[in-house]
Amino acid sequence: MNKTNVLTMLSLCSAGILPAFSEQAPKQTRPNILYIMSDDHAYQAISAYGHGLNQTPNIDRLANEGALFTRGFVTNSLCAPSRSVLLTGKFNHLNGKIDNRGSFDWDQMNFPKLLQQNGYQTALIGKIHLSGNPQGFDYSNVLPGQGNYYNPDFIENGVEKQYQGYVTTLTTQFALDWLDKKRDKSKPFCLMLHEKAPHRNWQPEEKYLNLYEDHDFPVPDNYFDDYSGRGTAAHTQEMEIAKYMSWGPDLKFENDPYTGKPTKLMNNLKRFNEAQLKAWRAAYNPRNEAFMKNKPEGKDLAIWKYQRYMRDYLRCIKSVDDAVGEVLDYLKANGLDENTIVIYTSDQGFYLGEHGWFDKRFMYEESMRTPLLVRYPKEIKAGTVVSALVQNLDYAPTILDYAGVPKPAEMQGESFRGLASGKDVKNWREAIYYHYYEYPAEHRVKRHYGIRTNRFKLIHFYYDIDEWELYDLEKDPHEMHSVYNDPAYAEVQARLHKQLDGLREKYKDKPGLMETFPAKK
Ligand code: SGN
Ligand code: CA
């Protein structure tokens, strides 16, 4: 190749038109990527984050041997929108998937497509919750919609089939099977392993049905929050454990303890085989009978519900943690652990009783934040802690960066590769942008957008209200008291408004743009 040809090749590579690396390039220069994401896994329920609720020794391995991000956030705390941001590196107002309803445009650019074009083998296994056939994957085996915990259907490369077994175990098995037998081992891989658990309504694996039964979890200090100090949105949500958990699928009663009528739990249990049903009833029936004998009331009942929720939720996480251990062991046993970047995250955070809530959606901390742990021994020192503001918007650019593939101009996130390897990254962002749209809908969390800096959070609730909230996270980490219009914060407020306008402009989220996606009543 002469000099001009080399230069042409280089410029075509950097424009993303030609593969960034030729097929002959030494394989070890291109790392594998194992992206593990669970559904609704709160950072409070990962022991590496230090909340002391439960133990997740396998997920913790990623933090002990790699980096733990303490300020990882999503741009919209809901499943399908979060996944669309992950794939495209673009905010929802530009990738079109603003809420869980409506279709997703798979024809648009996504990072697995770019990896594929650059010689990677790609696979998507587990929950994706985006309608249509996944694009960008050499292999896909996904749950339809939300999927089921027991004996679920999977759609393998477009063909749907029911499998016997527990969803977390099956998803992990399919992932190991692809790694071991189905992929082209001459190419680097990007495997997206998406666990359904611990999504509502928290059906534990048979072997964990009794785990934590004798353990009482600490009740958050603001469990009996009365929402004073905040605006309409916090008062009108439908996320309170005490009020909105169903006796059937959520709290596991086959008959309503007050009316005696059959609950909807049986709909869920229809997929169970006899042995599974037997194990399930052996676990829940005696507990439910004990409840019937001594029905708690008022605050005691609210705490009882919290305990049942936490036990089931954390049981589901136990299986997820096992799964992470299995894949990490596989990488190690097969000599893949040094050259594979392992990422663990969730599609958003979750309330574990804070403000009395379950679910997510709000820009308040527990749902806007999400766990993020990254292991890559070649670049990331064991025990690294990153406190810079990062978002799921950054995942696609980061993965492309590690793979040596140029980031397309339309991607809005930034690579956090430098932060993970402990570099002092100059000019890293000082604020992040959030926008939630799914209203009116289940849980009735009003539409809102806002900005979060290291210390402050400014939120605008809109659509059928027009209210602002401002939090000083240093003085009020649990967001109990909005200081919007408090004269002591006048300067901060003005600055945040300006910064928010700047972010909306930077990310091209124009006032009124969301009206192009009319809310369904
Ligand atoms: C289901 C749940 C909701 C949850 C949404 C979205 N209800 O509808 O509690 O908010 O999913 O979750 S359930 O009774 O059917 O479980 S998401 O993670 O997919 O966005
Ligand atoms: Ca989710």
Side-chain angles (χ1 to χ4, degrees):
M1 228 188 276
N2 63 33
K3 202 176 153 197
T4 326
N5 282 349
V6 172
L7 287 176
T8 315
M9 281 284 287
L10 283 176
S11 59
L12 287 174
C13 287
S14 61
I17 294 161
L18 276 184
F21 291 86
S22 80
E23 296 300 311
Q24 284 80 38
K27 280 179 206 114
Q28 59 272 29
T29 60
R30 300 201 290 168
N32 303 307
I33 291 129
L34 171 58
Y35 176 88
I36 311 175
M37 183 164 76
S38 48
D39 194 354
D40 294 358
H41 191 170
Y43 58 85
Q44 308 92 297
I46 290 180
S47 37
Y49 280 98
H51 290 259
L53 269 181
N54 59 334
Q55 292 303 316
T56 49
N58 294 300
I59 297 171
D60 288 7
R61 274 158 73 181
L62 300 174
N64 298 337
E65 298 166 12
L68 178 82
F69 287 74
T70 58
R71 286 189 187 144
F73 294 90
V74 293
T75 69
N76 181 355
S77 184
L78 200 62
C79 197
S82 165
R83 288 153 201 266
S84 72
V85 169
L86 151 73
L87 288 167
T88 63
K90 296 193 289 191
F91 275 94
N92 298 130
H93 57 271
L94 297 186
N95 71 34
K97 188 67 186 154
I98 60 165
D99 59 29
N100 276 346
R101 307 169 286 199
S103 58
F104 174 67
D105 174 15
W106 278 102
D107 289 340
Q108 66 189 303
M109 169 278 300
N110 70 30
F111 84 83
K113 288 185 188 179
L114 298 174
L115 290 180
Q116 241 184 350
Q117 286 161 20
N118 283 271
Y120 269 76
Q121 274 272 292
T122 58
L124 171 64
I125 297 174
K127 181 173 172 181
I128 185 64
H129 203 185
L130 295 169
S131 58
N133 283 335
Q135 289 182 33
F137 300 97
D138 295 296
Y139 176 82
S140 66
N141 198 356
V142 297
L143 295 164
Q146 294 281 12
N148 283 289
Y149 272 104
Y150 276 78
N151 310 329
D153 291 339
F154 275 86
I155 308 169
E156 186 183 27
N157 294 331
V159 182
E160 186 163 344
K161 200 171 116 184
Q162 189 176 0
Y163 294 81
Q164 289 298 302
Y166 186 68
V167 72
T168 308
T169 323
L170 288 168
T171 307
T172 313
Q173 258 172 25
F174 295 148
L176 291 174
D177 197 44
W178 183 78
L179 280 174
D180 208 42
K181 299 190 188 76
K182 294 206 166 97
R183 72 188 164 101
D184 174 353
K185 290 188 178 164
S186 70
K187 294 178 173 182
F189 68 80
C190 172
L191 167 60
M192 304 183 76
L193 198 183
H194 291 193
E195 300 290 3
K196 168 193 166 63
H199 192 271
R200 191 182 182 193
N201 23 49
W202 319 295
Q203 293 176 18
E205 190 174 354
E206 286 132 289
K207 66 177 177 193
Y208 292 134
L209 282 166
N210 295 307
L211 185 71
Y212 307 127
E213 195 51 33
D214 297 325
H215 185 76
D216 279 338
F217 293 94
V219 180
D221 289 346
N222 58 0
Y223 187 65
F224 293 104
D225 196 351
D226 64 2
Y227 315 114
S228 58
R230 275 138 296 162
T232 309
H235 287 86
T236 56
Q237 48 61 40
E238 296 184 353
M239 310 212 312
E240 287 147 272
I241 293 167
K243 270 163 87 177
Y244 295 103
M245 274 206 182
S246 65
W247 282 110
D250 293 334
L251 296 167
K252 300 357 190 236
F253 281 75
E254 289 181 48
N255 296 305
D256 185 299
Y258 297 93
T259 65
K261 286 194 186 135
T263 65
K264 289 189 178 146
L265 176 59
M266 217 40 223
N267 288 346
N268 296 41
L269 302 184
K270 268 186 195 146
R271 293 186 84 90
F272 284 47
N273 63 36
E274 258 177 58
Q276 291 163 341
L277 201 55
K278 208 173 150 201
W280 180 276
R281 286 182 167 148
Y284 289 104
N285 285 0
R287 296 169 200 163
N288 293 352
E289 280 156 24
F291 175 90
M292 296 302 287
K293 278 199 197 111
N294 185 16
K295 280 185 192 161
E297 286 176 12
K299 286 193 168 182
D300 292 340
L301 179 58
I303 290 172
W304 184 90
K305 287 183 182 177
Y306 167 79
Q307 296 298 351
R308 177 152 289 195
Y309 162 43
M310 289 305 290
R311 289 181 191 127
D312 284 336
Y313 178 84
L314 294 170
R315 285 168 183 148
C316 292
I317 286 173
K318 179 74 177 151
S319 300
V320 171
D321 188 63
D322 290 352
V324 171
E326 269 179 64
V327 287
L328 292 180
D329 289 349
Y330 177 88
L331 294 182
K332 192 151 196 199
N334 290 276
L336 293 164
D337 57 327
E338 291 294 310
N339 198 36
T340 301
I341 297 153
V342 184
I343 300 173
Y344 184 86
T345 187
S346 168
D347 62 344
Q348 5 73 203
F350 214 68
Y351 294 99
L352 303 184
E354 300 88 357
H355 305 290
W357 295 339
F358 66 105
D359 213 64
K360 53 268 179 171
R361 298 161 190 268
F362 272 113
M363 202 182 151
Y364 302 132
E365 209 64 359
E366 292 83 358
S367 61
M368 183 189 185
R369 237 179 101 181
T370 196
L372 178 61
L373 304 89
V374 186
R375 180 190 187 274
Y376 184 37
K378 278 190 182 163
E379 281 192 24
I380 306 175
K381 279 201 207 90
T384 300
V385 176
V386 181
S387 61
L389 294 164
V390 302
Q391 276 186 299
N392 58 342
L393 188 71
D394 303 324
Y395 295 176
T398 304
I399 292 170
L400 290 177
D401 188 5
Y402 279 121
V405 178
K407 176 181 95 166
E410 61 189 293
M411 277 195 183
Q412 298 177 299
E414 304 293 335
S415 167
F416 53 70
R417 181 179 179 177
L419 292 172
S421 50
K423 290 201 183 110
D424 179 19
V425 179
K426 299 267 179 291
N427 302 323
W428 186 254
R429 66 167 74 91
E430 286 175 359
I432 51 175
Y433 181 60
Y434 183 90
H435 198 154
Y436 170 82
Y437 302 82
E438 198 179 271
Y439 178 89
E442 192 177 8
H443 300 298
R444 303 200 66 79
V445 173
K446 293 198 188 283
R447 293 183 180 212
H448 57 289
Y449 61 86
I451 179 175
R452 189 204 194 277
T453 65
N454 280 317
R455 176 160 173 192
F456 298 103
K457 197 181 278 182
L458 176 68
I459 313 175
H460 184 212
F461 291 95
Y462 71 96
Y463 189 76
D464 56 352
I465 54 170
D466 177 12
E467 291 181 15
W468 291 87
E469 294 180 11
L470 171 62
Y471 295 95
D472 180 344
L473 300 170
E474 206 173 278
K475 293 205 173 126
D476 180 21
H478 302 294
E479 297 156 307
M480 300 297 284
H481 186 71
S482 167
V483 290
Y484 196 79
N485 282 342
D486 177 337
Y489 286 89
E491 250 175 64
V492 170
Q493 190 172 307
R495 177 162 48 82
L496 284 166
H497 268 292
K498 238 174 127 184
Q499 264 181 300
L500 176 59
D501 290 346
L503 284 185
R504 277 167 72 79
E505 201 177 315
K506 175 179 172 188
Y507 293 128
K508 304 188 176 71
D509 192 3
K510 297 190 181 67
L513 184 63
M514 50 294 234
E515 257 63 73
T516 58
F517 305 98
K520 288 179 195 148
K521 303 284 168 193

